[in-house]
Amino acid sequence: MFTLPKLDYSYDSLEPFIDAKTMEIHHTKHHQTYIDKLNAIVEANPNLKDKTLEELCLLPETKNMARGHYNHSFFWQIIGPAGSGTIPDEINSLKDEFNQKALTLFGSGWTWIVKNDLPAQAGGKLEVITTPNQDSPLLTGKIQVLGLDLWEHAYYLKFQNRRVEYIDAWWNVVNWQKVSSLLK
Ligand code: MN3
């Protein structure tokens, strides 16, 4: 059984950049729904019981819900109250490209900064990628160090169709201590 991870900050602690109501609904409704549906599929299929979340992300019958759980669990970790340190230079240099890709992503999906997982590519440059729906960088063998949820449920209450304002606001609540630890 997968369970909703607790946040180590309050829903209103990202104000005024991300509003408390959006945080609460996003966490307790949207993320919870991915978990509930994933658990239901796993319970109905005994052969899935011993699979890890990462394994379930790769199976056709569970991939959408598993990736929804995986992506959101990551997302909560890399945001938090504003003022958590400074943006690393290697991230800052990709900010314009990240913003452009986030703004122009069609429909629902995510924009990420990833590093390569493969030993031969260790130390390789970071890159900006986008994924549709709940697809995850782990499908490509890359490790996300930053990710932005661009589903409308992540911003519609406060920003409506103004995705550009959501993207700008979100940079203020990135947890740079956490992201910096993922860069190592
Ligand atoms: Mn979401």
Side-chain angles (χ1 to χ4, degrees), residues 26 30-31 34 72 75-76 110 134 149-151 153-154:
H26 200 173
H30 292 279
H31 188 173
Y34 290 118
H72 285 85
F75 187 61
W76 308 131
W110 294 70
Q134 293 294 351
D149 186 342
L150 291 162
W151 287 54
H153 68 231

Side-chain angles (χ1 to χ4, degrees), residues 104-150:
T104 56
L105 173 72
F106 183 75
S108 297
W110 294 70
T111 297
W112 310 90
I113 293 179
V114 297
K115 62 180 180 180
N116 292 304
D117 186 19
L118 304 171
Q121 295 171 311
K125 285 166 75 172
L126 299 174
E127 63 177 314
V128 180
I129 65 169
T130 61
T131 57
N133 303 312
Q134 293 294 351
D135 286 5
S136 166
L138 79 89
L139 307 174
T140 65
K142 293 168 178 174
I143 298 178
Q144 66 272 19
V145 298
L146 193 64
L148 175 55
D149 186 342
L150 291 162

